[in-house]
């Protein structure tokens, strides 16, 4: 009989493993060149408008007061996940020591007081150590940690440059269309705005802190996901930083296609003479034929979709596999972020719905890519893209019918969003079952043991090669 041979298929086994590693290295190289070219293009574009670009602003923070010390220390924390505890203490101590020196110099010179230079210098020092003192896989691992940190801190500068481009290149906005279409969802920004106003200064301060410190919650989730990097010497296949960066990269491109400033500017006191009227949050927008409207050159067109909602949704999704405390933090951060974006008048309800669909589609796309373009994942990405596109087109060209027939279009918008949510939950659950069942192994056939029947005394068993009548 031919025996059944069972072996586990590991990702590196086989003659093609070297070729796959080379292709992966080439892909990383191409991605690095594309990212660098993107930053250089943004730098050149910002210079055309008389402003500094993301690379220049980031380089200035080596010496000058940074815009956000919290983000720089969050980036250093991303780098430290690949270090040992002794190396982490050395890096953190060096960062704090440098910041103390800068603090003393700035206080004596009367300059702007801010911390974070030490964190950036410590991160750059790790890159120097990787190039000069590490080799092979250890060098690649440390450079990957430094790269994630620099992408995290530079991503914020990139967002600022994108916002500059939106208000310089999009003088007219589409707020009237979104405000009219928002009647189908009950104009939630007006409702939540009155609720936040009634909560007083305490509620407003809490929501403002959550809104501003969104990156801190993301770093907490990322550190949990990467807690084993130092021991295993590899990063997890998928983590929240990837989703955050892709959201920040693609979101501003939609701003250019669909410029919106938000209700507090278009219909509130913050808009000044450019506002349609001072309506938000006590008086609803009347239903009428919408038009594009000019707006100033200093207010970002950064509403459609709501990227704060998108990032908070990503935090919620990535916290689901963590402990109870982390899951509660993810849920509370999502709820508080929704309250802040609507309650402060930064977004319409239509922006929130688009932001959720936007995140679920991106998250599915990243995980589908990791799984070799799984067919169910590809279908869900196409479905999410179609729903997101349909939402934008409906807000633009069907806003008046949406306002006049809210009981038809409102449920339709929510059902379309729910279909993407249901597809995401169903697909990821199937993926989780496959992962827990060992998708990298071939099914093993274990033959049932044959029951031996006792023979009478003096009898013998027949040889398998004999013909027994």
């Amino acid at each position: 009989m031919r025996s059944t041979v069972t072996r586990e298929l590991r990702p590196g086994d086989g003659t093609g493993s070297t070729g796959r590693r080379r292709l992966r290295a080439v892909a990383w190289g191409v991605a690095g060149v594309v990212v660098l070219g993107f930053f250089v293009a943004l730098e050149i574009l910002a210079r055309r408008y008389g402003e500094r670009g993301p690379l220049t602003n980031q380089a200035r923070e080596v010496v000058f007061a940074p815009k956000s010390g919290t983000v720089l220390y969050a980036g250093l924390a991303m780098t430290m996940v690949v270090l040992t505890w002794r190396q982490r203490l050395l890096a953190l101590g060096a960062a704090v020591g440098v910041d103390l020196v800068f603090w003393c110099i700035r206080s004596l010179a009367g300059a702007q007081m801010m911390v974070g230079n030490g964190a950036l210098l410590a991160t750059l020092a790790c890159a120097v150590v990787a190039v000069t003192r590490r080799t092979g896989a250890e060098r690649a691992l440390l450079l990957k940690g430094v790269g994630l940190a620099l992408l995290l801190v530079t991503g914020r500068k990139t967002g600022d440059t994108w916002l500059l481009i939106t208000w310089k290149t999009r003088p007219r906005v589409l707020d009237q269309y979104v405000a009219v279409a928002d009647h189908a969802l009950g104009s939630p920004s007006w409702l939540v705005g009155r609720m936040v106003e009634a909560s007083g200064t305490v509620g407003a301060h809490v929501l403002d802190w959550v809104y501003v410190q969104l990156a801190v919650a993301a770093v907490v989730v990322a550190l949990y996901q990467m807690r084993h990097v130092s021991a295993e010497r590899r990063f997890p296949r998928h983590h929240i930083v990837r989703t955050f960066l892709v959201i920040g990269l693609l979101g501003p491109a939609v701003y250019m296609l669909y410029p919106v400033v938000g209700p507090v500017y278009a219909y509130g006191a913050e808009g000044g003479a450019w506002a349609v009227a001072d309506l938000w949050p006590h008086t609803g927008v009347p239903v009428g034929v919408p038009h594009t409207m000019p707006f100033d050159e200093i207010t970002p067109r950064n509403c459609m979709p709501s990227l704060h909602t998108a990032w908070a949704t990503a935090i919620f999704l990535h916290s689901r596999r963590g402990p109870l405390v982390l899951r509660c933090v993810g849920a509370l951060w999502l709820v508080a972020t929704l309250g802040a974006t609507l309650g402060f008048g930064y977004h319409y309800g239509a922006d929130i719905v688009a932001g959720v669909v936007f995140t679920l589609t991106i998250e599915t796309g990243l995980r589908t890519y990791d799984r070799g373009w799984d067919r169910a994942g590809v279908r869900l990405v196409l479905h999410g893209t179609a729903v997101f596109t349909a939402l934008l087109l409906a807000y633009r060209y069907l806003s008046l019918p949406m306002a006049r027939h809210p009981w038809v279009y409102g449920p339709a918008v929510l059902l379309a969003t729910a279909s993407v949510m249901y597809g995401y939950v169903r697909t990821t659950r199937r993926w989780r079952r496959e992962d827990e069942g060992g998708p990298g192994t071939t099914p093993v056939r274990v033959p049932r043991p044959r029951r031996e029947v006792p023979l009478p005394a003096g009898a013998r068993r027949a040889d398998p090669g004999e013909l027994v009548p």
Side-chain angles (χ1 to χ4, degrees), residues 298-320:
I298 60 174
T299 303
R301 281 65 162 152
N302 62 337
C303 281
M304 183 64 71
S306 170
L307 291 197
H308 263 78
T309 300
W311 283 319
T313 304
I315 292 173
F316 175 80
L317 295 176
H318 283 264
S319 64
R320 293 305 87 195

Side-chain angles (χ1 to χ4, degrees), residues 77-382:
M78 294 297 303
T79 301
M80 290 195 299
V81 298
V82 306
L83 304 178
T84 63
W85 278 108
R86 178 177 176 275
Q87 293 168 342
R88 292 171 185 171
L89 292 176
L90 288 175
L92 182 60
V96 173
V98 171
D99 272 331
L100 288 176
V101 172
F102 273 81
W103 185 276
C104 294
I105 295 174
R106 285 176 182 143
S107 62
L108 293 175
Q112 180 184 358
M113 305 302 294
M114 181 59 71
V115 298
N117 303 90
L120 180 58
L121 288 171
T123 303
L124 296 176
C126 290
V128 174
V129 170
V131 173
T132 59
R133 304 294 298 274
R134 302 287 178 88
T135 58
E138 289 297 313
R139 173 186 289 177
L141 183 68
L142 185 52
L143 286 177
K144 190 172 183 179
V146 173
L148 285 176
L150 294 180
L151 282 175
L152 183 66
V153 298
T154 308
R156 182 160 184 165
K157 302 292 184 291
T158 303
D160 295 340
T161 304
W162 265 120
L163 296 182
L164 166 70
I165 296 172
T166 62
W167 73 63
K168 291 291 186 180
T169 61
R170 292 296 180 267
R172 304 186 70 87
V173 296
L174 303 176
D175 281 77
Q176 293 188 29
Y177 291 90
V178 182
V180 171
D182 215 36
H183 280 275
L185 301 174
S187 299
S189 181
W190 271 253
L191 174 62
V192 181
R194 292 193 294 270
M195 293 172 60
V196 172
E197 189 178 75
S199 67
T201 58
V202 175
H205 283 308
V206 171
L207 291 180
D208 181 68
W209 185 84
V210 171
Y211 188 84
V212 173
Q213 301 298 334
L214 186 68
V216 176
V219 170
V220 170
V221 175
L223 292 178
Y224 174 79
Q225 292 178 327
M226 301 178 186
R227 65 194 183 279
H228 299 311
V229 171
S230 178
E232 298 178 356
R233 312 311 296 166
R234 64 179 180 85
F235 280 86
R237 182 170 60 178
H238 182 56
H239 48 79
I240 191 173
V241 179
R242 299 173 67 200
T243 308
F244 251 62
L245 292 174
V246 175
I247 289 174
L249 178 65
L250 298 181
V254 185
Y255 294 164
M256 302 291 290
L257 299 174
Y258 211 106
V260 181
V261 294
V264 73
Y265 298 103
Y267 294 96
E270 295 294 330
W274 297 93
V276 176
D278 190 0
L279 303 177
W280 186 89
H282 299 288
T283 305
V285 176
V287 177
V289 179
H291 302 280
T292 61
M293 53 184 285
F295 216 79
D296 61 32
E297 295 185 358
I298 60 174
T299 303
R301 281 65 162 152
N302 62 337
C303 281
M304 183 64 71
S306 170
L307 291 197
H308 263 78
T309 300
W311 283 319
T313 304
I315 292 173
F316 175 80
L317 295 176
H318 283 264
S319 64
R320 293 305 87 195
R321 301 300 299 274
L324 178 61
V325 174
L326 192 64
R327 296 198 302 270
C328 291
V329 169
L332 290 175
W333 220 278
L334 176 60
V335 173
T337 300
L338 293 178
T341 54
L342 293 172
F344 293 147
Y346 297 150
H347 291 280
Y348 304 90
D351 308 337
I352 305 300
V353 173
V356 172
V357 176
F358 187 69
T359 299
L360 293 176
T361 304
I362 289 176
E363 179 72 14
T364 304
L366 291 173
R367 298 187 65 175
T368 302
Y369 170 78
D370 293 335
R371 303 183 71 86
W373 299 113
D374 178 86
R375 184 174 299 177
V378 172
R379 285 198 302 266
L380 184 56
V381 170
L382 295 176

